[in-house]
Amino acid sequence: MNLLLFITVFLLPPLVATLEKHSPLESVPRKHVLLHGVKAHRFHQEGVLNYTSMLLMEDLGLLVLGAREAVFALDLHDISKGKASVRWEAMGDPVRNCLVTKAEVLCKNYIMVLHRIDAHRIYVCGTYAFRPKCVNMTYVDGKLTLEQKVEDGTRKGPIDPDKRSASILVDDKLYSATFKDFHGKQASFCRSGICNTENRLFNDPTFVSMSFVPESQNSPNGDDDKIYLFFSEEAVECKCNSNLLASRVARVCKGDQGGNRVLQKKWTSFLKARIDCPVQKNQWSNVIEGSYLLCDPQQQWQNCVFYAIFRPQQDTDGPSAVCGYSLSDISRVFSEGNYKTEKWITSIFSAWHPYDEKVPSPRPGACITNTDREQGINDTRDQNPDTHEFVKRTFLMDEAIQPIGGKPLLLRRGATFNHIIVTQTTAADGQKYNVMFVSTEDGTVLKSVNYNGEIFTIEEMQIFQPGVPIRTLTFSSITNQLYAGSHSGVAQIPLASCDRSSSCVDCVLSRDPHCGWDKSSGKCVALTDSTRQLIQSVRDGNANLCPNTQDSIQTTEQSTWSGGNLKLRCPLTSNLATVSWERDNHPLKLSDRLQQLDDGLLILNASGTDSGQYKCLSVERSKTGQFSTSVARFNVKITARTDSGMMAAIQGLGVVVALLACLIGLLFWTIYKQQQFPSGTSKKKDSKGRGQVSELH
Ligand SMILES: *[C@@H]1O[C@H](CO)[C@@H](O)[C@H](O)[C@H]1NC(C)=O
Ligand SMILES: *[C@@H]1O[C@H](CO)[C@@H](O)[C@H](O)[C@H]1NC(C)=O
Ligand SMILES: *[C@@H]1O[C@H](CO)[C@@H](O)[C@H](O)[C@H]1NC(C)=O
Ligand SMILES: *[C@@H]1O[C@H](CO)[C@@H](O)[C@H](O)[C@H]1NC(C)=O
């Protein structure tokens, strides 16, 4: 009892305190789903590790998976069903040269780039023992085949499996941000033919992601399409002492052909800006880790939103964050904002300032537009060399890009965020909502919905063992499934598991736009699986809509002796609920002897007055009110100590008698055996033992 007292008195208050410390932005997941509670299809091939790249081929019903020295084609509907695979191992000189300086495990071919070329072909790049190579792969007649021609993958795919790179295939051209050297120092950003490496576009960067935006569509001024690159790098412009990183977005024009006299075969349209996701007004508290571009196909590109995730920098206790950026805000900073420039104060010291001199025309970094074309400038090579001279040195924007609403959408302490995807779904109210899935370094995925700026986190699911980082994340709107890759394997889970809610109140309070309560079947079901009218209230969590039902929970008998302790278990399914106890239909008064735990009630030093009917209720608030549901009911009996003491004494005596009888029996048996086989048994055992040993060898 003293131990229990210790636990309740000293360990519970800190738990309560940590919950209180959450800022309002810190979204506590309503449910935590443990690994065994996640219904997943899984794939893992014996001996193959590092499942770090994925490509969906929905029309063929395939999920293509890049791993260490192998590519797999899996059934999109059930990834545990492999359809085809092909091995691509690093061999020969590259491996021998690699082994001189690198660990053996790194001198392999890590498949990290997969891009679709056409109906049946995929462009694949592997690190190939630090000599990256790329090849076209076909999927024909249910077989994956690497084509004969293998090309040098330098500046196309990553060289080092531990360093991130980013690439995208647009109009048959590969845009890639990689490192081109063994040591990962020389960053390059290339498109076949146009490449910037020596020109200092980056300062020790970590590449994060790349996206394509078709901005030429319906453009009134004949603007070009853009490629956006997200990365982090040394914060050169920050007047700070420590080595802080800056989060950046950069963009180039699809039609950039490089300069003529200046910037020949180099980007003339590369501009970059800082991207902020300020936590408590501190812009430098975190650094970008991933991004996802969400565009509503029924709307203009200006309404697209980049969702980006940030991890804490330096202060490792800080929260991870999600911020949203409107593409029109990003676009405005690049097309209208001022530039930032480095001024040398002495030959060693410099400082960054807004550019305050005359900017050449056409605007440095701008794409070719109708105005240029009217002047006979069809191509960046025809542009004014002064413009190129300017942009060769000045390509950082002065203004930083601020998130929608000026602050993060979501903050969370604990496991670091590493990937994000966002899907759009139509709820029962006919409105579209954005659902975010954020993976962490701890093998979990959070599911959060954006209700017009209010973020509600439905659940955090443990997809892989705790501590196993998720390395790649994607989803299919055809199968409504999420696919996550880790070093050890791949998992597929549904976007929604409505059956985790067993009551109408739980189903409605989960505020999951994918789920609703079906009155007639008495189940929480997916909207897509039902044609019936379902009960749902995603904005308000109005569980008053639920039909009144008799609670059908079973009564459990529990008893202890007077003076004993008893725990009545009542685990709540919602982290947002509080528990409330009743005894004989009256609220229970808690005391030193009657203590409420996270998962139940503790009765210490019980007495006869503790007998009765106990009921445990889960009480959860939503915008429309407070809802209670019965979770468990107990019939508690406390038996008087005297009786129980006697009982124990009688039982104890019984045990002693039985033990004595056994001992006597054993004694007799031993004597009897000894007389029957004086010595033979041990010899037999010996020969048998030796036989087994030699068989093993
Ligand atoms: C892959 O296919 C594309 C498109 O047909 C072609 O342009 C490219 O040269 C091929 N690459 C290799 C390495 O064979
Ligand atoms: C630009 O394109 C137009 C129409 O295609 C053409 O008439 C003109 O000669 C081109 N100008 C240059 C400088 O190439
Ligand atoms: C590959 O997977 C193993 C096993 O989880 C992991 O220890 C290792 O860091 C991974 N290697 C790379 C280069 O990602
Ligand atoms: C248990 O309760 C009885 C009275 O019901 C009291 O006399 C006794 O001191 C209590 N024991 C402990 C260890 O608190």
Side-chain angles (χ1 to χ4, degrees):
M1 184 193 90
N2 283 339
L3 180 68
L4 275 177
L5 261 181
F6 170 80
I7 290 173
T8 46
V9 174
F10 294 99
L11 298 186
L12 279 183
L15 259 178
V16 174
T18 50
L19 278 177
E20 280 169 357
K21 228 170 48 190
H22 289 298
S23 89
L25 281 177
E26 259 178 85
S27 185
V28 178
R30 183 169 179 273
K31 282 189 186 178
H32 275 114
V33 186
L34 301 179
L35 189 59
H36 62 80
V38 173
K39 271 181 260 143
H41 289 297
R42 292 179 190 275
F43 175 82
H44 162 79
Q45 169 101 10
E46 202 56 43
V48 179
L49 290 173
N50 311 102
Y51 302 85
T52 48
S53 52
M54 276 183 187
L55 174 71
L56 288 177
M57 293 173 91
E58 289 173 318
D59 52 335
L60 303 180
L62 289 187
L63 177 74
V64 181
L65 191 64
R68 186 208 283 178
E69 311 209 293
V71 182
F72 300 93
L74 310 177
D75 184 337
L76 193 62
H77 297 271
D78 178 358
I79 59 158
S80 63
K81 294 183 189 143
K83 289 198 163 180
S85 70
V86 62
R87 285 200 68 82
W88 187 18
E89 289 167 43
M91 280 182 277
D93 280 344
V95 177
R96 275 188 289 278
N97 294 338
C98 175
L99 286 173
V100 177
T101 49
K102 301 278 180 189
E104 194 194 341
V105 68
L106 295 175
C107 299
K108 306 263 182 203
N109 192 21
Y110 291 84
I111 315 295
M112 300 180 89
V113 172
L114 296 169
H115 293 298
R116 184 136 187 201
I117 303 173
D118 55 32
H120 294 281
R121 287 199 301 168
I122 301 159
Y123 188 67
V124 185
C125 298
T127 58
Y128 212 94
F130 284 78
R131 276 283 198 84
K133 290 190 191 301
C134 300
V135 67
N136 287 344
M137 180 178 72
T138 57
Y139 180 78
V140 177
D141 297 333
K143 271 175 68 181
L144 283 177
T145 318
L146 301 176
E147 287 184 355
Q148 286 294 312
K149 192 181 138 212
V150 176
E151 63 183 24
D152 178 13
T154 314
R155 301 191 186 121
K156 296 184 182 116
I159 183 166
D160 182 342
D162 284 328
K163 284 218 156 202
R164 293 181 68 175
S165 69
S167 65
I168 194 171
L169 195 69
V170 178
D171 294 349
D172 290 335
K173 289 193 175 122
L174 182 77
Y175 295 76
S176 62
T178 60
F179 296 90
K180 62 169 192 146
D181 64 314
F182 218 72
H183 305 289
K185 287 285 167 220
Q186 295 173 49
S188 68
F189 178 33
C190 301
R191 180 196 65 209
S192 42
I194 302 284
C195 225
N196 283 58
T197 42
E198 59 272 40
N199 182 13
R200 285 183 55 233
L201 295 183
F202 307 105
N203 299 291
D204 209 356
T206 298
F207 297 117
V208 165
S209 59
M210 222 184 259
S211 296
F212 170 72
V213 182
E215 294 182 20
S216 66
Q217 277 175 18
N218 309 323
S219 169
N221 62 348
D223 199 355
D224 197 0
D225 298 337
K226 312 277 192 318
I227 285 85
Y228 288 87
L229 169 65
F230 289 84
F231 60 102
S232 61
E233 64 175 350
E234 204 184 299
V236 283
E237 78 274 31
C238 177
K239 295 186 205 86
C240 24
N241 306 323
S242 44
N243 299 322
L244 282 177
L245 298 175
S247 305
R248 305 266 197 229
V249 56
R251 68 111 176 94
V252 293
C253 309
K254 192 180 82 178
D256 193 341
Q257 299 299 323
N260 192 351
R261 282 192 283 125
V262 191
L263 290 179
Q264 239 178 51
K265 299 207 161 142
K266 296 195 172 64
W267 298 112
T268 63
S269 60
F270 182 94
L271 294 177
K272 66 181 179 183
R274 199 178 86 214
I275 186 160
D276 284 348
C277 184
V279 174
Q280 283 157 6
K281 301 227 162 75
N282 180 0
Q283 300 96 321
W284 302 101
S285 64
N286 52 28
V287 59
I288 192 163
E289 188 67 22
S291 79
Y292 186 86
L293 175 64
L294 183 73
C295 295
D296 185 338
Q298 274 144 30
Q299 291 193 16
Q300 300 270 316
W301 64 264
Q302 284 90 343
N303 297 312
C304 292
V305 172
F306 274 109
Y307 281 86
I309 47 168
F310 291 75
R311 65 170 165 82
Q313 80 168 318
Q314 297 193 327
D315 170 18
T316 45
D317 286 344
S320 290
V322 178
C323 275
Y325 303 89
S326 100
L327 198 51
S328 52
D329 285 349
I330 297 180
S331 195
R332 187 186 47 75
V333 168
F334 286 128
S335 61
E336 294 166 23
N338 191 8
Y339 304 85
K340 210 181 195 82
T341 182
E342 192 174 19
K343 281 192 182 157
W344 292 91
I345 300 160
T346 69
S347 60
I348 324 165
F349 292 105
S350 70
W352 288 79
H353 294 285
Y355 189 80
D356 54 9
E357 285 165 52
K358 194 170 176 295
V359 175
S361 174
R363 184 180 159 86
C367 303
I368 301 287
T369 60
N370 289 342
T371 325
D372 301 303
R373 288 184 199 101
E374 278 155 20
Q375 294 167 17
I377 302 171
N378 295 347
D379 180 322
T380 51
R381 283 169 295 195
D382 306 331
Q383 276 177 323
N384 180 359
D386 290 347
T387 294
H388 293 167
E389 195 65 58
F390 180 96
V391 85
K392 187 177 167 185
R393 264 175 242 110
T394 313
F395 43 81
L396 177 62
M397 306 314 293
D398 183 46
E399 192 182 330
I401 291 156
Q402 298 303 320
I404 297 166
K407 60 181 195 319
L409 289 165
L410 171 68
L411 289 179
R412 186 149 168 77
R413 253 167 250 276
T416 310
F417 292 171
N418 58 20
H419 292 280
I420 182 167
I421 58 175
V422 186
T423 74
Q424 206 165 52
T425 190
T426 307
D429 62 7
Q431 302 266 339
K432 281 186 198 158
Y433 297 102
N434 294 346
V435 185
M436 311 189 272
F437 292 90
V438 180
S439 66
T440 71
E441 291 286 298
D442 200 30
T444 65
V445 171
L446 276 108
K447 177 179 179 180
S448 304
V449 197
N450 189 345
Y451 291 120
N452 297 41
E454 179 216 359
I455 302 292
F456 185 76
T457 300
I458 296 167
E459 55 196 357
E460 179 164 18
M461 296 164 276
Q462 190 78 49
I463 307 244
F464 295 105
Q465 291 288 343
V468 172
I470 290 176
R471 282 283 158 258
T472 172
L473 191 66
T474 189
F475 83 99
S476 161
S477 49
I478 303 274
T479 59
N480 280 318
Q481 304 275 312
L482 193 72
Y483 306 88
S486 73
H487 286 318
S488 55
V490 190
Q492 165 194 351
I493 57 164
L495 291 186
S497 297
C498 305
D499 56 2
R500 280 204 267 272
S501 295
S502 55
S503 72
C504 178
V505 171
D506 191 33
C507 183
V508 171
L509 290 179
S510 76
R511 297 175 65 189
D512 190 329
H514 296 115
C515 303
W517 184 261
D518 182 352
K519 247 192 283 191
S520 48
S521 71
K523 283 195 175 109
C524 190
V525 297
L527 258 58
T528 49
D529 293 349
S530 177
T531 50
R532 283 199 274 259
Q533 178 90 29
L534 300 178
I535 301 174
Q536 190 189 60
S537 169
V538 287
R539 296 258 204 141
D540 307 318
N542 184 5
N544 287 321
L545 300 171
C546 285
N548 274 324
T549 45
Q550 292 286 312
D551 60 49
S552 56
I553 47 166
Q554 300 276 312
T555 304
T556 315
E557 300 290 332
Q558 290 270 320
S559 63
T560 186
W561 308 319
S562 117
N565 307 320
L566 195 62
K567 185 175 164 186
L568 306 178
R569 268 181 50 78
C570 176
L572 297 187
T573 53
S574 166
N575 295 324
L576 306 182
T578 53
V579 71
S580 128
W581 285 89
E582 284 178 1
R583 183 169 62 207
D584 301 329
N585 296 323
H586 293 291
L588 182 70
K589 247 189 90 196
L590 297 171
S591 66
D592 283 353
R593 284 197 322 102
L594 294 175
Q595 296 189 5
Q596 191 171 303
L597 307 180
D598 274 0
D599 62 342
L601 181 76
L602 198 59
I603 305 176
L604 301 171
N605 190 14
S607 71
T609 56
D610 294 329
S611 298
Q613 284 272 347
Y614 285 73
K615 192 160 89 171
C616 148
L617 300 156
S618 163
V619 184
E620 191 165 347
R621 275 204 150 276
S622 77
K623 280 186 201 145
T624 46
Q626 186 163 291
F627 302 94
S628 320
T629 34
S630 318
V631 181
R633 193 184 291 124
F634 303 91
N635 192 14
V636 172
K637 280 207 188 82
I638 312 292
T639 13
R641 179 174 270 288
T642 44
D643 295 0
S644 57
M646 281 290 267
M647 283 294 285
I650 291 165
Q651 274 173 1
L653 200 68
V655 170
V656 172
V657 169
L659 265 176
L660 264 174
C662 279
L663 271 174
I664 292 164
L666 199 69
L667 193 72
F668 274 104
W669 188 77
T670 316
I671 293 165
Y672 170 76
K673 281 264 166 165
Q674 287 243 318
Q675 279 174 347
Q676 267 212 323
F677 317 99
S679 60
T681 40
S682 61
K683 214 175 179 181
K684 205 173 163 188
K685 223 186 226 164
D686 253 58
S687 62
K688 205 177 177 189
R690 266 198 298 276
Q692 276 175 342
V693 171
S694 58
E695 254 171 50
L696 274 173
H697 278 280

